Amino acid sequence: MKNINYSSLCSTIIITFSFILMQKVYAADAHYQGRTNYYAPYAEQSPKVDGVANESIWQEAKWQTLDNRWLGPEYSKEDFQGRYKVVWTKSKLYFMAEIVDDILIDSHRDPLTQYWDDDCLEIFLDEDFSGGEHQFNHNAFAYHMSLDNQAIDIGTNKLAQTYTHHVESRWQQQGDKLIWELSIDIYTDAYQDSATDNQPIELTAGKIMGLMLAYCDNDGSALRENFIGSESAPGEGKDRGWIDAGLFGKLILAN
Ligand SMILES: [Ca+2]
Ligand SMILES: [Ca+2]
Ligand SMILES: [Ca+2]
Ligand SMILES: [Ca+2]
């Protein structure tokens, strides 16, 4: 009969279970419960970013709605409705958003001033789905897309910066809706604001990223009236996605 070392076996079992437990605690800490999973289809051909969603690949992607009211009072269907789709190529993510907004406002003409108080579409991206804090670093990006197609976020110098060179953005009105198409280059947390040679990464099937969209709706007030996102925000400070990547949903790059 084989001589089993029970002491060694017990140690192995304990270490294994401790490791599994640690993984679970970490997963729970990094992201809030109830995040959505979004499977983005692969696009053989890049959609044309022109505000016309006539590329067949858009029909393969599922809608994700913006229906979590983070800030502001109840709103009507005429005031705001929003939903979006995502597809990917090896070099970029592509977004198509359909927005209903009764009044379009861009009252701060300087793109770096109170950009969140003008109508804007926010795209929150965490390249490695790490979660965690991203206020003054590039652990994640929070691109505030203005109506004039600029992308603004806070840099590591703690000031608003333009990241418009990461993004291509065009929208058009179709009936009572805006059709907004965007492409975004993906950078890791090693991105340097001061460098001129940051390289976007190549995307591959199976990659998991953090993603969430939101819309700041202003129809004529001094400050934005509503902030409405694609993910639920438990507890206080529901607008904290600009700091906390733990709120982001899970984006899976499908085949
Ligand atoms: Ca298009
Ligand atoms: Ca509105
Ligand atoms: Ca990250
Ligand atoms: Ca508006």
Side-chain angles (χ1 to χ4, degrees), residues 25-224:
V25 169
Y26 178 75
D29 282 350
H31 289 90
Y32 292 88
Q33 288 188 338
R35 302 306 89 197
T36 57
N37 286 353
Y38 187 98
Y39 291 86
Y42 174 70
E44 297 275 353
Q45 281 191 317
S46 307
K48 188 176 178 192
V49 178
D50 57 1
V52 181
N54 59 358
E55 293 84 359
S56 59
I57 188 67
W58 290 129
Q59 288 165 23
E60 292 179 34
K62 278 192 177 166
W63 288 112
Q64 176 83 31
T65 53
L66 276 64
D67 56 5
N68 294 278
R69 187 166 52 87
W70 293 341
L71 291 178
E74 296 274 355
Y75 54 90
S76 68
K77 283 186 169 179
E78 294 72 36
D79 185 359
F80 174 77
Q81 289 175 67
R83 56 183 188 165
Y84 69 89
K85 294 181 172 188
V86 189
V87 301
W88 66 283
T89 66
K90 288 192 173 75
S91 60
K92 293 170 197 289
L93 290 182
Y94 288 82
F95 294 81
M96 189 267 286
E98 187 187 86
I99 306 289
V100 173
D101 182 1
D102 48 352
I103 298 173
L104 298 178
I105 290 274
D106 187 3
S107 59
H108 305 88
R109 297 304 305 125
D110 177 351
L112 302 182
T113 300
Q114 271 180 267
Y115 44 92
W116 58 89
D117 284 323
D118 292 322
D119 283 330
C120 78
L121 181 65
E122 283 194 50
I123 300 179
F124 301 83
L125 273 173
D126 173 6
E127 179 271 332
D128 57 357
F129 195 59
S130 62
E133 188 273 322
H134 73 97
Q135 186 172 13
F136 301 129
N137 58 62
H138 296 311
N139 174 26
F141 288 87
Y143 296 111
H144 295 68
M145 300 305 310
S146 61
L147 289 177
D148 61 342
N149 298 303
Q150 300 201 47
I152 311 299
D153 189 19
I154 300 172
T156 50
N157 63 356
K158 305 188 178 181
L159 299 172
Q161 317 278 312
T162 180
Y163 295 95
T164 307
H165 53 293
H166 295 190
V167 174
E168 194 181 359
S169 167
R170 293 287 178 275
W171 58 268
Q172 292 198 43
Q173 299 209 49
Q174 313 243 339
D176 66 343
K177 297 182 175 73
L178 306 188
I179 303 296
W180 201 329
E181 284 185 308
L182 304 104
S183 70
I184 304 188
D185 295 322
I186 304 302
Y187 292 94
T188 70
D189 55 11
Y191 186 89
Q192 298 277 336
D193 286 329
S194 55
T196 54
D197 58 350
N198 292 297
Q199 291 297 320
I201 61 162
E202 186 165 291
L203 301 177
T204 51
K207 183 173 178 60
I208 292 174
M209 302 170 65
L211 173 69
M212 156 169 103
L213 264 67
Y215 191 78
C216 300
D217 186 16
N218 193 333
D219 298 331
S221 304
L223 306 176
R224 64 183 161 185

